[in-house]
Amino acid sequence: MVKAEPKKKKAYQLVKGMKDILPEDQRYWDYIKHVVSTMADIYGFKRIETPVLEFVDLFNKGIGQATDVVEKEMYNFVDQGEDHLALRPEVTAGVVRAYIEHGMLNLTQPVKLFYISPCFRREKPQGGRYRQFYQFGFEVLGEADAVVDAQIISITYKLYRSLNLPISVQINSVGCPDCRPAYLTQLKEYFKRYKGKLSEASVARLAKNPLRILDSKEKEDLPLIVDAPQQVDFLCENCKNHFIQVLEYLEELEIPYVLNPSIVRGLDYYSRTTFEIWVGEEEGGRQSALGGGGRYDGLVAMLGGQETPAVGFAGGVERLVSQIRDRDFKVPEATKPKVFLAQLGGEAKKKTLSIFEKLNEAGIKVYENFGKGGLKAQLEQADKLGVHFTLIIGQKEIIDKTIMIRDMENGNQEVVDISKIIPEIKKRLERSVVNEEQV
Ligand code: HAM
């Protein structure tokens, strides 16, 4: 009789568009978090974390129902309590909700907040585009002055430049509710003339939200977009002055920028300044923009708060990690252990547990592999880790109350009284650091 093959269990796989952040990448993540919080501290931003889940209406209203993010990409569902919820596709709307809900209007204005938070968009997964991704962001609520727009751009510019990235600041103004209607009428007229040449998606946008045609990445739309009327030519006096001031402040800060009328952003809440950070200056940089932001003076009121001007920026962490890793940017590595603690036999294992704690408390970074019994395997591991010394406790050392110190460089071994191990190992480590520095 032929024996049936045992059924192979299917190994689980990542959900499409998700990404594991493996140990070898963590140092880049840690470094980015460090750079973001250092910048935040310098410029007086306080950290905020809002929940991943919000009521779906917050995004429908805040980001706009006719945007790709809300219409096509948002994960939303009705929970067991019949609440209509969504996984946040971005953080700004949640921050504004928190600003209103916690009465931050009563604090000294402006309120400056920053975050590093996961977001979710059901986009087509491709290079630099995930369905769960992290954003770091800076938001300033309660200040209309153009100087704050320039400051937000300056923070992000400095942040990316400190990571040696050849970025460009692409900037535009999308006007305000006073001057945008006249522009939208012109834009609609223009695209209507070319309706036959527009992509299907853009024909649908024409009726709902013609501004979104300017974000289109469809091939047939691109030549039409280049010649489309531009918002900057329709700005009202106030918006024009505001924009000129932003540019003047950037010049004062010596921040180079590229005026780019196509930076209208994919979310509906923007007014006046909009900007994106691209790698390089070419149009291709847009597909993988490192970040984007702008002014959103109407959002607080739209979400139920008082009229409050605001401006902010968010950058994608995955895209930033991939840039600095591919360009071989040297991020500081976590300090390596300098000592390995090896044990032989049951009694010795017990003793090393407390020795490990004592070494740790004395500030000495130690590695161990308590599960392994053989000395050879432990020494091999110590060698691989590149430690300076291995401490060995076996049966004999337990009886004699001693511990053996093995110098991994020359293989010399010395037995010392176990009660003196901390000062002894500290002395040797200091010596080996001095030797290292002299090399
Ligand atoms: P956003 O341009 O939609 O703006 O996203 C900001 C950044 O998040 C993008 O430039 C990109 O680096 C990253 N990102 C977006 N989607 C993905 C994805 N699917 N995979 C990987 N990275 C992604 C906003 O979200 C606004 N809330 C920014 C803002 C803050 N405006 C004012 N304040």
Side-chain angles (χ1 to χ4, degrees):
M1 208 169 86
V2 183
K3 232 177 159 184
E5 285 267 321
K7 232 186 185 171
K8 211 171 161 201
K9 278 199 191 131
K10 199 173 158 231
Y12 286 103
Q13 290 181 336
L14 272 173
V15 172
K16 197 169 171 190
M18 302 287 145
K19 183 179 178 348
D20 292 316
I21 307 161
L22 296 171
E24 58 263 31
D25 269 351
Q26 290 294 344
R27 62 196 175 107
Y28 296 107
W29 284 75
D30 287 345
Y31 191 63
I32 289 168
K33 283 179 198 159
H34 163 76
V35 172
V36 169
S37 27
T38 305
M39 277 298 177
D41 191 42
I42 294 171
Y43 291 92
F45 285 73
K46 298 263 188 295
R47 183 154 181 177
I48 185 166
E49 283 302 328
T50 58
V52 162
L53 278 185
E54 299 273 4
F55 288 111
V56 72
D57 255 1
L58 178 77
F59 304 115
N60 289 343
K61 261 218 178 111
I63 299 174
Q65 234 150 359
T67 58
D68 279 358
V69 170
V70 166
E71 199 177 44
K72 301 187 191 146
E73 298 163 0
M74 195 160 64
Y75 285 95
N76 55 59
F77 62 99
V78 180
D79 80 352
Q80 293 86 335
E82 300 292 306
D83 281 329
H84 290 246
L85 304 176
L87 293 182
R88 65 168 165 224
E90 58 104 56
V91 193
T92 311
V95 168
V96 169
R97 188 225 6 96
Y99 175 88
I100 300 167
E101 196 164 350
H102 299 284
M104 292 190 215
L105 187 65
N106 299 320
L107 304 174
T108 308
Q109 305 293 300
V111 173
K112 298 180 175 183
L113 303 167
F114 84 104
Y115 48 82
I116 308 174
S117 312
C119 300
F120 303 81
R121 292 183 194 178
R122 201 178 183 288
E123 291 191 77
K124 214 172 173 191
Q126 47 183 290
R129 212 169 274 268
Y130 302 101
R131 289 181 174 178
Q132 175 177 335
F133 59 96
Y134 283 72
Q135 280 188 347
F136 66 89
F138 300 93
E139 313 284 355
V140 180
L141 296 112
E143 183 52 73
D145 199 294
V147 77
V148 189
D149 306 42
Q151 204 178 28
I152 283 280
I153 295 172
S154 161
I155 295 170
T156 59
Y157 179 77
K158 275 198 193 160
L159 193 148
Y160 289 110
R161 288 298 302 136
S162 77
L163 297 166
N164 283 347
L165 294 176
I167 51 136
S168 68
V169 176
Q170 307 277 327
I171 192 168
N172 188 26
S173 174
V174 292
C176 68
D178 284 342
C179 52
R180 203 173 309 141
Y183 169 61
L184 289 182
T185 309
Q186 288 292 318
L187 194 66
K188 215 169 176 170
E189 287 291 309
Y190 168 82
F191 282 125
K192 251 191 199 158
R193 258 183 276 142
Y194 298 101
K195 202 170 169 183
K197 292 187 176 170
L198 280 174
S199 68
E200 212 177 300
S202 287
V203 173
R205 288 178 187 127
L206 192 54
K208 281 198 261 176
N209 195 344
L211 205 58
R212 292 279 74 84
I213 300 178
L214 300 177
D215 294 330
S216 166
K217 281 141 200 142
E218 307 291 334
K219 252 192 272 135
E220 56 268 53
D221 296 338
L222 296 180
L224 298 174
I225 292 170
V226 173
D227 292 330
Q230 299 179 359
Q231 173 75 65
V232 278
D233 297 326
F234 291 80
L235 292 180
C236 61
E237 230 18 60
N238 287 342
C239 286
K240 202 186 283 171
N241 288 337
H242 193 272
F243 193 39
I244 290 170
Q245 276 175 8
V246 174
L247 301 181
E248 281 173 358
Y249 289 133
L250 290 180
E251 278 151 29
E252 175 66 29
L253 288 161
E254 296 183 10
I255 295 173
Y257 58 81
V258 179
L259 289 175
N260 185 338
S262 76
I263 304 294
V264 290
R265 315 276 299 124
L267 316 165
D268 277 355
Y269 51 60
Y270 291 106
S271 54
R272 297 194 166 167
T273 317
T274 47
F275 70 100
E276 285 183 3
I277 303 289
W278 292 4
V279 176
E281 290 197 4
E282 300 306 316
E283 181 59 28
R286 169 174 243 172
Q287 296 286 337
S288 53
L290 286 175
R295 199 159 256 294
Y296 47 96
D297 289 344
L299 188 59
V300 181
M302 194 195 294
L303 295 178
Q306 291 184 29
E307 287 287 338
T308 308
V311 59
F313 166 86
V317 180
E318 287 78 2
R319 292 184 189 178
L320 183 50
V321 167
S322 120
Q323 282 292 332
I324 61 175
R325 197 190 37 215
D326 295 353
R327 286 165 199 272
D328 238 353
F329 181 83
K330 297 278 174 275
V331 302
E333 282 197 54
T335 47
K336 280 190 180 158
K338 296 204 161 49
V339 177
F340 192 92
L341 188 54
Q343 34 72 40
L344 271 171
E347 279 306 305
K349 186 194 290 189
K350 221 188 273 170
K351 186 74 192 163
T352 44
L353 282 176
S354 59
I355 297 287
F356 180 89
E357 296 305 328
K358 285 198 180 112
L359 288 161
N360 237 338
E361 283 159 21
I364 299 164
K365 195 156 182 193
V366 199
Y367 212 88
E368 47 70 35
N369 194 339
F370 292 146
K372 280 231 159 59
L375 186 59
K376 189 164 172 266
Q378 292 182 74
L379 284 176
E380 272 171 13
Q381 190 175 1
D383 206 35
K384 242 190 226 161
L385 285 164
V387 296
H388 293 258
F389 300 100
T390 299
L391 307 180
I392 306 166
I393 304 186
Q395 213 46 35
K396 184 166 180 337
E397 285 76 19
I398 290 286
I399 295 165
D400 297 347
K401 296 196 169 42
T402 57
I403 188 164
M404 187 184 284
I405 305 179
R406 181 185 169 94
D407 186 323
M408 297 302 285
E409 189 131 314
N410 52 28
N412 289 346
Q413 301 193 149
E414 203 183 319
V415 174
V416 300
D417 192 313
I418 199 154
S419 65
K420 301 215 174 82
I421 186 61
I422 304 280
E424 281 294 334
I425 195 72
K426 272 194 168 163
K427 198 165 70 191
R428 283 171 171 75
L429 282 173
E430 270 163 28
R431 237 185 277 145
S432 67
V433 169
V434 171
N435 288 346
E436 248 177 24
E437 280 169 1
Q438 282 170 351
V439 171

